[in-house]
Amino acid sequence: MATITEERILEALRRVRDPEQGKDLVSLGMIGGLAIKDGNVGFSVEVAAQRGAAAEPLRKAAEQAVFALEGVTSVTAVLTAHSGGAGAGQPPTGNGPAGSAAAAPKGSGADRIGSIVAVASGKGGVGKSTTAANLALALMAEGARTGLLDADIYGPSMPRMMGVRGKPTTADGKVLDPMNGHGVKLMSMGFLVDEETPMIWRGPMVMSALQQLLQDVDWGPLDVLVVDMPPGTGDAQLTLAQTAKLAGAVIVSTPQDIALLDARKGLNMFRKVDVPVLGIVENMSYFQCPHCGERSDIFSHGGARREAERLGVPFLGEIPLDIAIRETSDGGRPIVAAEPDGPHAAAYREIAMKVLDRLDAGADGPKPAPKIVIR
Ligand code: ADP
């Protein structure tokens, strides 16, 4: 098999013309960050920021030209947008990934993930991240090779919640190695930018950053990747649900929110993009007294179970409001890792088992998404 060399790749790219500038990509200095590892090739196509998504056909053409070379098994071409014109200047934020990311034809980080499961909520503050972290740990405890992607790029909380610090490394200068949080592979924008840096993301860049966290991370092989979705049900969430090829979604709700329609917004969003809702978790379901262990149903507990039944969506389980859950996740060791034999870990594991069962059932054949009736 022919060896892949930088020269052969550049030669292929010399045959790709930028119609806007009338010259080939190499002569125009638009190719950057060329990385070759065995048959896997990665590079960036640098374009002026104002061209944005209009440059997508060019990116595709570059990718295809390299992919056609004998010996190439995968190509990831990424558009990087520069404010100062083609091939010059800094990315707009100077921080996160810029431009629009590519979907690699084969061999990309996301290809070795069995199922991608989103954890979502209709609004912030209901314990979505806490649930995502504990669910990931519980899936691992059930024997699944698990990853956790913090897709909340505005307020990434996973580094703190999973107690992981530092920066991810890269072996080939192109694909990042995920971090490790209590045995779970972990990636978050929080590892890539300083906490102090204000993040100004424009719409397309949000998607680009998220796709890169998915595609340009050496995730695999994984059975399940849990994605802690950004809170809410706006465009970013919708696009992510669409592009990440989700196997299913878990909706987190508090008892009072389910009645207030917020959780239904989440259900509705996944229905729009044909992603099966694996079920609802009722978080802060009832209050567990840390002193006497007595249980009080302060928020009309059980609302989510009833509502799930009414909406025809599985109910996955309930997690109490317990200071131990807050303290452990705020302290960097979520309760499933901190007290693996305790009752809360058991509750999360039960939810994890139901998630795995539903994913298995889905894998047996095409299965219609649960019917959701919004009244
Ligand atoms: P979201 O991701 O929905 O914004 P978080 O997971 O960040 O919410 O949770 C918000 C706060 O509530 C955190 O301080 C977290 O520790 C706490 N919390 C979440 N779930 C529980 C629970 N079941 N019991 C006690 N505290 C909780």
Side-chain angles (χ1 to χ4, degrees):
M1 193 192 272
T3 326
I4 300 301
T5 59
E6 191 172 317
E7 197 34 58
R8 283 187 63 214
I9 290 164
L10 292 177
E11 198 184 298
L13 290 170
R14 266 191 210 104
R15 290 195 287 269
V16 181
R17 241 174 109 253
D18 177 11
E20 200 156 289
Q21 302 179 81
K23 279 190 186 163
D24 73 89
L25 302 187
V26 179
S27 313
L28 288 165
M30 291 170 77
I31 302 300
L34 181 58
I36 307 165
K37 196 179 181 192
D38 305 323
N40 306 304
V41 181
F43 57 88
S44 60
V45 181
E46 300 171 359
V47 296
Q50 62 269 24
R51 286 179 72 177
E56 173 61 17
L58 192 60
R59 184 199 66 74
K60 239 186 201 141
E63 206 168 64
Q64 276 162 6
V66 176
F67 196 53
L69 291 174
E70 197 198 330
V72 171
T73 48
S74 84
V75 186
T76 308
V78 179
L79 278 182
T80 48
H82 289 325
S83 48
Q90 289 298 311
T93 60
N95 280 306
S100 108
K106 54 182 171 175
S108 74
D111 284 351
R112 293 194 289 160
I113 301 171
S115 305
I116 304 181
V117 173
V119 177
S121 62
K123 65 168 201 185
V126 300
K128 172 182 56 58
S129 299
T130 307
T131 306
N134 279 299
L135 175 63
L137 290 162
L139 285 164
M140 195 188 66
E142 288 303 314
R145 291 166 300 180
T146 308
L148 177 57
L149 169 60
D150 181 1
D152 189 351
I153 66 164
Y154 294 98
S157 54
M158 280 308 164
R160 184 182 44 80
M161 210 170 259
M162 294 290 278
V164 179
R165 309 181 119 237
K167 299 253 178 254
T169 54
T170 165
D172 60 358
K174 184 74 198 151
V175 180
L176 289 174
D177 293 325
M179 307 293 270
N180 183 322
H182 312 290
V184 165
K185 287 183 179 172
L186 180 65
M187 186 49 75
S188 164
M189 195 47 77
F191 295 130
L192 305 176
V193 294
D194 288 335
E195 260 177 65
E196 308 299 313
T197 311
M199 302 283 281
I200 307 159
W201 295 96
R202 286 187 258 124
M205 291 178 58
V206 173
M207 280 324 302
S208 165
L210 289 175
Q211 284 194 0
Q212 290 190 358
L213 289 181
L214 202 58
Q215 298 283 351
D216 297 347
V217 170
D218 190 11
W219 286 111
L222 284 185
D223 296 311
V224 186
L225 177 69
V226 176
V227 180
D228 181 19
M229 295 282 282
T233 52
D235 279 352
Q237 290 80 350
L238 203 61
T239 322
L240 180 61
Q242 233 162 358
T243 54
K245 297 205 181 66
L246 297 176
V250 170
I251 310 277
V252 181
S253 173
T254 61
Q256 63 275 50
D257 293 320
I258 189 94
L260 291 174
L261 272 171
D262 280 314
R264 285 188 238 179
K265 276 191 226 152
L267 292 175
N268 219 2
M269 172 175 82
F270 289 110
R271 192 180 61 157
K272 255 194 224 163
V273 289
D274 281 333
V275 170
V277 173
L278 303 173
I280 296 181
V281 173
E282 185 172 271
N283 189 39
M284 311 190 198
S285 180
Y286 54 89
F287 177 65
Q288 187 102 41
C289 173
H291 305 294
C292 63
E294 199 198 328
R295 163 184 175 146
S296 332
D297 293 342
I298 45 177
F299 296 132
S300 67
H301 148 256
R305 183 189 289 273
R306 274 193 304 277
E307 201 59 26
E309 265 166 29
R310 214 165 72 80
L311 298 171
V313 180
F315 183 69
L316 295 175
E318 54 193 32
I319 302 293
L321 176 71
D322 188 325
I323 193 158
I325 295 179
R326 192 191 65 69
E327 281 175 353
T328 49
S329 62
D330 290 355
R333 200 171 176 81
I335 196 113
V336 172
E339 295 171 24
D341 299 321
H344 298 319
Y348 281 114
R349 279 206 314 275
E350 205 161 300
I351 293 170
M353 274 190 287
K354 287 186 186 155
V355 166
L356 290 173
D357 279 352
R358 291 193 54 82
L359 289 173
D360 275 351
D364 287 339
K367 193 162 169 274
K371 195 162 174 279
I372 300 163
V373 186
I374 307 289
R375 292 174 201 152

